[in-house]
């Protein structure tokens, strides 16, 4: 009998649907129990988002500053597998998910346990996952697999679609012309197949080879151009902006309003101007960086940590 714990935080229900599909093979078997633990912030983040709130959570997301969350009702239960399902906010794990990773409860739950990360995001997740890998290692957990579901829309039109979705909660085509926002229903339903792979590897005690099996089924796709955007935007520009806003105060503090609003103007400018420029540079230099790009693709598809 294996006990599976699935931790998640989902606003629109998209990640929750992914999690439930992933868990089906475990639910269908008498040899497993599945416990769902929904991470809940004490002060909820409204969904659909209001414009200002969406940008006000930027500095805390980037600088990994936790919010208060409700303790999970898990008693002293000892689990055989932890699935940590999360979404990404500003190239970092969403504030509620990260708050759990930083909690005392996480220290008890993750210690010496095999962990699988399951992401339901738009298209930029790599820096967030590097941080999560580090955090899981610090908690004493053993990352054995990673599955990433993402939007298939092209970067710029996809941003328009996801903004429409996040600000209205609607999943139809904006103006009837933009791509449907979010992860395709086919891929969401297909998560069940990943659940089957994990279950089979667990039953046959083959967890060391799990990520290889998942990759054969395309559980992770690394886009080298988006990775280069993450490295410039997420690691450098986002940090500068986050620190600039935080100097004025914490979440909701009216003294930082002017800086949050300036960032609100900068953000679409960066997407519309800097991201295409980055693309041109990426294409020009790609031929000189083929080995580097290949190494990056292989490293970020895997579950190893560079420092280990
Ligand atoms: C404030 C905020 C920032 C986001 N930033 C990113 C991001 O940097 N990269 C990404 O791939 N998706 C990003 N997303 C999309 C989410 O990862 C996720 O796909 C979406 O919010 C739906 O998740 P849900 O299941 O919680 O509704 C962001 C969403 C929000 C609300």
């Amino acid at each position: 009998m294996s006990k599976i714990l699935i931790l998640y935080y989902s606003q629109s229900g998209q990640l929750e649907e992914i999690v439930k599909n992933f868990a089906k093979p475990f639910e269908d078997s008498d040899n497993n129990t599945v416990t769902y633990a929904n991470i809940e912030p004490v002060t909820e983040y409204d969904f659909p988002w209001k414009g200002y709130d969406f940008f006000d959570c930027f500095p805390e997301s980037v600088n990994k500053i936790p919010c208060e969350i409700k303790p999970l009702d898990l008693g002293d239960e000892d689990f055989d597998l932890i699935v940590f399902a999360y979404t990404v906010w500003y190239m970092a794990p969403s504030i509620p998910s990260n708050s759990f990773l930083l909690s005392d409860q996480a220290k008890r739950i993750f210690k010496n346990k095999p962990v699988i990360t399951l992401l339901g995001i738009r298209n930029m997740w790599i820096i967030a996952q590097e941080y999560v890998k580090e955090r899981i290692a610090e908690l004493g957990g053993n990352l054995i697999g990673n599955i990433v579901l993402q939007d298939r829309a092209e970067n710029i039109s996809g941003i328009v679609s996801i903004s429409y979705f996040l600000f209205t909660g609607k999943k139809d085509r904006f103006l009837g012309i933009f791509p449907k926002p979010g992860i395709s229903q086919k891929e969401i339903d297909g998560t069940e197949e990943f659940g089957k792979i994990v279950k089979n590897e667990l039953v046959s005690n083959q967890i060391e080879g799990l990520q290889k099996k998942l990759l054969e089924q395309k559980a992770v796709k690394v886009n080298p151009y988006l990775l280069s955007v993450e490295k410039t935007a997420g690691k450098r520009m986002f940090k500068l902006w986050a620190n600039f806003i935080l100097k004025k105060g914490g979440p909701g503090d009216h003294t930082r309003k002017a800086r949050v609003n300036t960032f609100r103007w900068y953000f679409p400018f960066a997407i519309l101007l800097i991201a295409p420029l980055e693309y041109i540079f990426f294409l020009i230099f790609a031929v000189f960086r083929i080995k580097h790009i290949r190494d990056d693709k292989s490293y970020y598809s895997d579950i190893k940590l560079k420092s280990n």
Side-chain angles (χ1 to χ4, degrees), residues 30 43 74 79 86 119 126 140 249 283:
D30 294 335
T43 309
L74 298 172
F79 295 97
Y86 71 97
L119 288 78
I126 290 178
L283 288 182

Side-chain angles (χ1 to χ4, degrees), residues 9-15 49 54 57 87-91 120-124 162 165-166:
Y9 169 77
S10 177
Q11 289 195 301
S12 68
Q14 177 174 270
L15 184 67
W49 286 81
F54 182 83
C57 77
T87 60
V88 170
W89 291 1
Y90 298 110
M91 302 180 196
I121 47 95
R122 198 179 79 80
N123 65 4
M124 293 200 197
I162 191 110
F165 168 51
L166 295 176

Side-chain angles (χ1 to χ4, degrees), residues 221-256:
K221 285 191 199 98
V222 172
N223 178 324
Y225 155 61
L226 293 178
L227 173 60
S228 72
V229 175
E230 284 201 50
K231 282 182 176 170
T232 25
K235 277 205 167 153
R236 296 189 204 128
M237 297 309 292
F238 273 16
K239 274 267 167 219
L240 287 175
W241 272 102
N243 292 334
F244 175 65
I245 297 171
L246 280 168
K247 275 196 189 122
K248 283 284 175 185
D253 196 326
H254 70 276
T255 54
R256 73 184 201 176

Side-chain angles (χ1 to χ4, degrees), residues 72 84 101-102 133 172 179 203 205 247 267 290 294 296:
L72 298 174
F84 182 67
L101 285 180
L102 295 172
K133 278 184 193 173
D172 57 339
V203 169
N205 224 347
K247 275 196 189 122
F267 193 63
I290 289 174
R294 261 202 217 117
D296 266 359

Side-chain angles (χ1 to χ4, degrees), residues 172-216:
D172 57 339
R173 285 171 177 270
F174 178 49
L175 300 176
I177 50 171
F178 282 93
K180 258 186 129 195
I183 297 157
S184 75
Q185 195 57 46
K186 193 169 158 234
E187 294 204 27
I188 292 177
D189 296 342
T191 322
E192 189 177 343
E193 294 307 312
F194 297 130
K196 277 185 197 155
I197 295 173
V198 173
K199 193 183 130 222
N200 291 343
E201 296 301 287
L202 220 61
V203 169
S204 52
N205 224 347
Q206 304 265 315
I207 52 174
E208 290 80 23
L210 174 63
Q211 187 62 10
K212 195 164 168 272
K213 284 259 159 61
L214 288 170
L215 288 179
E216 281 164 13

Side-chain angles (χ1 to χ4, degrees), residues 38-263:
N38 185 4
I39 299 163
E40 282 185 81
V42 171
T43 309
E44 256 302 348
Y45 292 87
D46 284 343
F47 185 84
W49 286 81
K50 292 187 194 76
Y52 183 82
D53 296 349
F54 182 83
F55 292 99
D56 193 51
C57 77
F58 164 79
E60 284 70 28
S61 303
V62 172
N63 278 13
K64 320 286 189 311
I65 299 170
C67 66
E68 207 184 330
I69 52 171
K70 297 178 188 168
L72 298 174
D73 184 17
L74 298 172
D76 292 331
E77 194 90 65
D78 197 30
F79 295 97
D80 301 297
L81 174 70
I82 315 286
V83 179
F84 182 67
Y86 71 97
T87 60
V88 170
W89 291 1
Y90 298 110
M91 302 180 196
S94 73
I95 297 175
S97 304
N98 182 45
S99 305
F100 182 76
L101 285 180
L102 295 172
S103 70
D104 284 341
Q105 219 175 6
K107 284 184 194 149
R108 184 188 73 74
I109 291 170
F110 280 78
K111 196 153 183 60
N112 299 327
K113 296 291 177 232
V115 181
I116 288 176
T117 41
L118 173 57
L119 288 78
I121 47 95
R122 198 179 79 80
N123 65 4
M124 293 200 197
W125 56 277
I126 290 178
I127 291 182
Q129 178 69 1
E130 282 306 290
Y131 166 82
V132 170
K133 278 184 193 173
E134 283 170 20
R135 193 67 208 131
I136 290 170
E138 278 163 22
L139 289 166
N142 172 24
L143 185 64
I144 58 163
N146 179 33
I147 300 159
V148 183
L149 272 79
Q150 47 190 314
D151 293 16
R152 291 281 168 245
E154 170 281 321
N155 193 29
I156 305 283
S157 58
I159 285 174
V160 177
S161 296
I162 191 110
S163 307
Y164 170 67
F165 168 51
L166 295 176
F167 293 125
T168 65
K170 293 181 190 163
K171 248 190 166 185
D172 57 339
R173 285 171 177 270
F174 178 49
L175 300 176
I177 50 171
F178 282 93
K180 258 186 129 195
I183 297 157
S184 75
Q185 195 57 46
K186 193 169 158 234
E187 294 204 27
I188 292 177
D189 296 342
T191 322
E192 189 177 343
E193 294 307 312
F194 297 130
K196 277 185 197 155
I197 295 173
V198 173
K199 193 183 130 222
N200 291 343
E201 296 301 287
L202 220 61
V203 169
S204 52
N205 224 347
Q206 304 265 315
I207 52 174
E208 290 80 23
L210 174 63
Q211 187 62 10
K212 195 164 168 272
K213 284 259 159 61
L214 288 170
L215 288 179
E216 281 164 13
Q217 296 307 314
K218 305 204 170 6
V220 178
K221 285 191 199 98
V222 172
N223 178 324
Y225 155 61
L226 293 178
L227 173 60
S228 72
V229 175
E230 284 201 50
K231 282 182 176 170
T232 25
K235 277 205 167 153
R236 296 189 204 128
M237 297 309 292
F238 273 16
K239 274 267 167 219
L240 287 175
W241 272 102
N243 292 334
F244 175 65
I245 297 171
L246 280 168
K247 275 196 189 122
K248 283 284 175 185
D253 196 326
H254 70 276
T255 54
R256 73 184 201 176
K257 216 167 183 170
R259 291 189 178 190
V260 172
N261 279 327
T262 318
F263 175 71

